[in-house]
Coordinates of all heavy atoms in Angstrom, one line a residue:
A59 N 101.2 129.9 182.9 CA 100.2 128.9 182.9 C 99.6 128.7 181.6 O 99.3 127.6 181.2 CB 99.2 129.1 184.0
A60 N 99.4 129.8 180.9 CA 98.7 129.7 179.5 C 99.7 129.4 178.5 O 100.9 129.7 178.5 CB 98.1 131.1 179.2
G61 N 99.3 128.7 177.5 CA 100.1 128.3 176.3 C 99.3 127.7 175.3 O 98.1 127.5 175.4
F62 N 100.0 127.1 174.3 CA 99.3 126.4 173.1 C 100.2 125.2 172.8 O 101.1 125.4 171.9 CB 99.1 127.4 172.0 CG 98.2 126.8 171.0 CD1 97.9 127.6 169.8 CD2 97.6 125.6 171.0 CE1 96.9 127.2 168.9 CE2 96.7 125.1 170.0 CZ 96.4 125.9 169.0
R63 N 100.0 124.1 173.5 CA 100.9 123.0 173.4 C 100.1 121.7 173.3 O 99.1 121.5 174.1 CB 101.9 122.9 174.5 CG 103.0 123.9 174.5 CD 103.7 123.9 175.9 NE 104.4 122.6 176.1 CZ 105.7 122.5 175.9 NH1 106.5 123.5 175.5 NH2 106.3 121.3 176.2
D64 N 100.4 120.8 172.4 CA 99.7 119.5 172.3 C 100.7 118.5 172.9 O 101.7 118.8 173.4 CB 99.4 119.2 170.8 CG 98.2 119.9 170.3 OD1 97.4 120.3 171.1 OD2 98.0 120.1 169.1
G65 N 100.4 117.2 172.7 CA 101.2 116.1 173.1 C 100.7 115.4 174.3 O 99.5 115.3 174.5
D66 N 101.6 114.9 175.1 CA 101.3 114.3 176.4 C 100.4 115.2 177.2 O 100.8 116.3 177.6 CB 102.5 113.9 177.2 CG 102.2 113.1 178.5 OD1 101.6 113.7 179.4 OD2 102.5 111.9 178.5
T67 N 99.1 114.9 177.5 CA 98.2 115.8 178.2 C 98.7 116.2 179.5 O 98.7 117.5 179.8 CB 96.8 115.1 178.3 OG1 96.3 114.7 177.0 CG2 95.8 116.1 178.9
L68 N 99.1 115.3 180.3 CA 99.6 115.6 181.7 C 100.9 116.4 181.7 O 101.0 117.4 182.4 CB 99.7 114.4 182.5 CG 100.2 114.5 184.0 CD1 99.2 115.4 184.7 CD2 100.4 113.2 184.6
Q69 N 101.9 116.0 180.8 CA 103.2 116.5 180.9 C 103.3 117.9 180.1 O 104.0 118.8 180.5 CB 104.2 115.6 180.3 CG 104.3 114.3 181.2 CD 105.2 114.6 182.6 OE1 105.6 115.7 182.8 NE2 105.3 113.5 183.3
N70 N 102.6 117.9 178.9 CA 103.0 119.0 178.0 C 101.9 119.9 177.6 O 102.1 121.0 177.1 CB 103.5 118.3 176.7 CG 104.8 117.5 176.9 OD1 105.7 118.0 177.6 ND2 104.9 116.4 176.3
S71 N 100.6 119.5 177.8 CA 99.4 120.3 177.2 C 99.4 121.6 177.9 O 99.6 121.7 179.1 CB 98.2 119.5 177.2 OG 97.8 119.3 178.6
Q72 N 99.1 122.6 177.1 CA 98.8 123.9 177.7 C 97.6 124.5 176.9 O 97.4 124.3 175.7 CB 100.0 124.9 177.6 CG 101.0 124.6 178.7 CD 102.0 125.8 178.7 OE1 102.7 126.0 177.7 NE2 102.1 126.4 179.9
F73 N 96.9 125.3 177.6 CA 95.6 126.0 177.1 C 95.6 127.5 177.4 O 96.4 127.9 178.3 CB 94.3 125.3 177.6 CG 94.3 123.8 177.5 CD1 94.8 123.0 178.5 CD2 93.9 123.2 176.3 CE1 94.8 121.6 178.5 CE2 93.9 121.9 176.2 CZ 94.4 121.0 177.3
N74 N 94.8 128.2 176.7 CA 94.7 129.6 177.0 C 93.3 130.0 177.1 O 92.6 130.1 176.1 CB 95.4 130.5 175.9 CG 95.6 131.9 176.3 OD1 95.0 132.4 177.3 ND2 96.4 132.7 175.5
F75 N 92.8 130.1 178.3 CA 91.3 130.3 178.7 C 90.5 129.1 178.1 O 89.7 129.3 177.2 CB 90.9 131.6 178.1 CG 89.6 132.1 178.9 CD1 89.8 133.0 180.0 CD2 88.4 131.8 178.6 CE1 88.7 133.5 180.7 CE2 87.3 132.3 179.3 CZ 87.5 133.1 180.4
P76 N 90.7 127.9 178.7 CA 89.8 126.8 178.2 C 88.4 127.1 178.8 O 88.2 127.1 180.0 CB 90.5 125.6 178.8 CG 91.2 126.1 180.0 CD 91.7 127.5 179.7
A77 N 87.5 127.2 177.9 CA 86.1 127.6 178.3 C 85.2 126.3 178.2 O 85.3 125.5 179.2 CB 85.6 128.7 177.3
G78 N 84.3 126.2 177.3 CA 83.4 125.1 177.4 C 84.1 123.8 177.0 O 85.1 123.7 176.3
C79 N 83.5 122.7 177.5 CA 84.1 121.4 177.1 C 82.9 120.5 177.0 O 81.8 120.6 177.4 CB 85.0 120.9 178.3 SG 84.2 120.8 179.9
A80 N 83.2 119.3 176.2 CA 82.1 118.4 175.9 C 82.7 117.0 175.6 O 83.9 116.9 175.3 CB 81.3 118.8 174.7
L81 N 82.0 115.9 175.8 CA 82.5 114.6 175.6 C 81.8 114.0 174.4 O 80.6 114.3 174.1 CB 82.2 113.7 176.8 CG 83.1 114.0 178.0 CD1 82.3 113.7 179.3 CD2 84.3 113.3 178.0
D82 N 82.5 113.1 173.6 CA 81.9 112.4 172.6 C 81.5 111.0 173.0 O 81.8 110.6 174.1 CB 82.8 112.4 171.4 CG 84.0 111.4 171.5 OD1 84.1 110.7 172.5 OD2 84.9 111.5 170.6
P83 N 80.7 110.3 172.2 CA 80.3 108.9 172.7 C 81.4 108.0 173.0 O 81.1 107.1 173.9 CB 79.4 108.4 171.5 CG 79.0 109.6 170.7 CD 80.1 110.6 170.9
A84 N 82.6 108.2 172.5 CA 83.7 107.3 172.9 C 84.4 107.7 174.2 O 85.4 107.1 174.6 CB 84.7 107.2 171.7
G85 N 84.0 108.9 174.7 CA 84.6 109.3 176.0 C 85.8 110.3 175.7 O 86.5 110.5 176.7
N86 N 86.0 110.8 174.5 CA 87.1 111.8 174.3 C 86.5 113.2 174.7 O 85.3 113.5 174.5 CB 87.4 111.8 172.8 CG 88.0 110.4 172.4 OD1 88.9 109.9 172.9 ND2 87.3 109.9 171.3
L87 N 87.4 114.0 175.2 CA 87.0 115.3 175.7 C 87.5 116.4 174.8 O 88.7 116.4 174.3 CB 87.7 115.5 177.1 CG 87.3 116.8 177.9 CD1 85.8 116.8 178.3 CD2 88.2 117.0 179.1
Y88 N 86.5 117.3 174.5 CA 86.9 118.4 173.6 C 86.8 119.7 174.4 O 86.0 119.9 175.2 CB 85.8 118.5 172.4 CG 85.9 117.3 171.5 CD1 85.2 116.1 171.9 CD2 86.5 117.3 170.3 CE1 85.3 114.9 171.1 CE2 86.5 116.1 169.5 CZ 85.9 115.0 169.9 OH 85.9 113.9 169.1

Side-chain angles (χ1 to χ4, degrees):
F62 194 176
R63 292 168 61 100
D64 285 337
D66 183 292
T67 302
L68 179 63
Q69 295 284 3
N70 298 319
S71 65
Q72 279 192 303
F73 308 92
N74 192 345
F75 205 93
C79 57
L81 290 150
D82 69 12
N86 300 303
L87 184 65
Y88 297 80

